Structures are given as structure tokens and as C-alpha cells.
Amino acid sequence: MSPLIIANWKMQLTVPESIALAEAVRVHERGAGTLVLCPSFLALSAVASVLVQTGIALGAQDCAWSDRGAYTGAVSPADLATLGCAYVLLGHSERRVHFGETDHMIGQKLRAALQANLQPIFCVGETEDEWRSGQRHAVLLRQLETVLRGVALVGAQRMVIAYEPVWAIGTGQVAAPEDIMAAHAFIRDVLGEVLGATARDRVRIVYGGSVDAETVQACLQQPYVDGVLVGKASQRSDRIGKVLTAALPH
Ligand code: PGA
């Protein structure tokens, strides 16, 4: 199965820049389901038009926990699906840190996204302090259990988990390959315990945190790594081109 490459453009690009980058990325298409572009909300519609009749999927960077309601400023998962989004990032550490998102809120968003037929890309990962004090597995367990346990997650096997150590995001410091492998194996075990064997076997687990053209292959070569989530190195056409060429050789 080919790896899943997810590009997170964050709030870094204008709408015209997003359109131009999506146009540049089109030449790298390698069949449906391999590449996901996550532009800002305002660029989704325009980028959706660029991606028509390509196998490149569209993802949003967040969504609300409800399809409809008095939630000023929020974005409905059902509307994202109608717009052409197949995926939605949820629980990114930047949402947790800057917007106060809790595991409980992320759990509600995840259920709403699945109900809207979106594929959630649920981000988990430890901070530097937690990493240094040996709490990585405890943190991953807490995040996964709080978000996933309790309510039946219909279609949960469509979900993607992104292991993103907070200390690796935007720092140029990629986690060591053996650490990535160990974290992914642990996440897969927890998925089996919380959601059962089908989810354990089917949910894809991707790594994110300072992945670029130089490091992408080493990440993808690790067992249990089904893809990568790329921020900075996906936000310029030359850089994303190199990442995709390294990750998906012809
Ligand atoms: P980065 O971002 O590749 O710039 O570290 C990854 C992410 O935040 O998803």
C-alpha cells in the first residue's frame, strides 16, 4: 500500500498562494488516496476546484463538534464534506496550545467528523517535558483513551492517527526512527484495546514533526509507519516537490 502524505499548510498561505501551490502539486499525483492537501478554510473551495479530476484529496485543518447551531465562528463538518473535503485534522497540538482544545472537545469533534463522513486525522503526541521525563506512552494512552473510549465510533477504521511529538513540530528536530516505530507500535496496541481488532489492523498511523525531503524516507521505512504529516516542507512548491519525489519514487 502506498504511503499517505498529508500536507498541512496551517495559516501560512494566502488564497492565491494556495491555488498556485495546489496547481504545482498536481504533477506529483500518484494515484488516488496518496496525497492530502490541507489549506486554510478560506482556500478550501478554490483548492477543491484545482483538485477536481485528480486523485489528490482535500482536508480541512479543524471542524466544529456539531453540524449546525449557534456557534459563532465555527465550521460545520457537514459543510466541509459538501465542499469536497475528505479529511479533517483534529487535535493538532497548535489547536491544543493556542486555542485551548481539550481531549474531551477533540473526542466530540471526532464523532461529528465521522458522522459527516469525513476521515479524521487525529493528532496525538507528547511535549518535550513529557518526553524527557519518560511519560510518552502514558500521554499517548491518555489522549487515545479519552478521545476514543466510551461512545461507539461508527466507521472509526476510516480514521488516521498522526503521531506528532510536540517538540518535533516546526523545530527541525525529527524523532529518532526507532522512537517513531515504538510509538506507532504502542498506538496500534492501544487502538486494538480500545476499538478492537478491525480498527487496530485498518487505522493508518502517520508520523509528523519536521519531516522534509531528507528525512521522509527514513520515516516511511519504519515498520508501523503508514505515512507522514508535513508542515513547513509542504508550503512551497520546490520543497513539497522534493518531499513527494523522495517519498513516492516513480
Ligand atoms: P512541521 O509541522 O512539518 O513544520 O514540523 C508538522 C505539523 O504541524 O503538522
Side-chain angles (χ1 to χ4, degrees):
M1 198 173 178
S2 57
L4 181 65
I5 316 289
I6 304 162
N8 179 7
W9 293 349
K10 310 196 181 190
M11 200 182 69
Q12 299 286 21
L13 305 175
T14 64
V15 174
E17 284 168 348
S18 303
I19 296 168
L21 187 52
E23 280 166 353
V25 166
R26 268 196 311 207
V27 300
H28 295 283
E29 195 207 323
R30 301 276 201 291
T34 306
L35 186 55
V36 183
L37 303 184
C38 301
S40 69
F41 284 130
L42 289 179
L44 281 171
S45 193
V47 170
S49 306
V50 176
L51 301 183
V52 168
Q53 288 182 348
T54 73
I56 302 173
L58 189 65
Q61 296 176 15
D62 183 35
C63 71
W65 50 67
S66 178
D67 280 343
R68 221 43 78 199
Y71 299 113
T72 303
V75 177
S76 152
D79 291 347
L80 291 173
T82 305
L83 207 68
C85 287
Y87 291 86
V88 60
L89 291 168
L90 291 176
H92 191 284
S93 67
E94 288 153 13
R95 299 288 321 165
R96 294 174 190 260
V97 170
H98 302 302
F99 301 93
E101 289 200 8
T102 62
D103 289 332
H104 177 71
M105 287 157 74
I106 296 159
Q108 288 183 300
K109 290 180 173 202
L110 197 128
R111 283 176 191 87
L114 285 170
Q115 218 155 34
N117 273 325
L118 295 168
Q119 291 179 257
I121 302 164
F122 166 32
C123 305
V124 293
E126 77 285 358
T127 63
E128 181 161 16
D129 280 353
E130 290 162 344
W131 176 54
R132 289 196 189 287
S133 56
Q135 294 178 64
R136 181 177 56 191
H137 285 186
V139 170
L140 293 175
L141 184 64
R142 190 201 69 225
Q143 292 174 338
L144 290 162
E145 279 196 334
T146 314
V147 171
L148 301 178
R149 208 187 273 286
V151 181
L153 287 166
V154 178
Q157 64 275 8
R158 286 189 283 117
M159 167 174 74
V160 176
I161 306 274
Y163 170 56
E164 296 210 297
V166 179
W167 49 271
I169 297 176
T171 58
Q173 214 187 333
V174 186
E178 57 277 13
D179 280 344
I180 298 175
M181 185 190 75
H184 284 222
F186 179 75
I187 291 168
R188 209 165 270 299
D189 283 349
V190 177
L191 285 174
E193 279 167 35
V194 178
L195 295 176
T198 310
R200 182 198 60 214
D201 297 341
R202 293 217 192 136
V203 168
R204 285 172 294 175
I205 308 175
V206 304
Y207 167 78
S210 296
V211 174
D212 61 15
E214 280 69 52
T215 51
V216 68
Q217 259 180 331
C219 294
L220 291 174
Q221 275 161 7
Q222 294 307 309
Y224 312 113
V225 176
D226 302 312
V228 284
L229 173 47
V230 189
K232 195 164 184 205
S234 76
Q235 294 159 2
R236 262 183 23 203
S237 61
D238 54 338
R239 297 198 71 191
I240 190 170
K242 284 185 189 151
V243 171
L244 294 172
T245 306
L248 309 166
H250 278 291

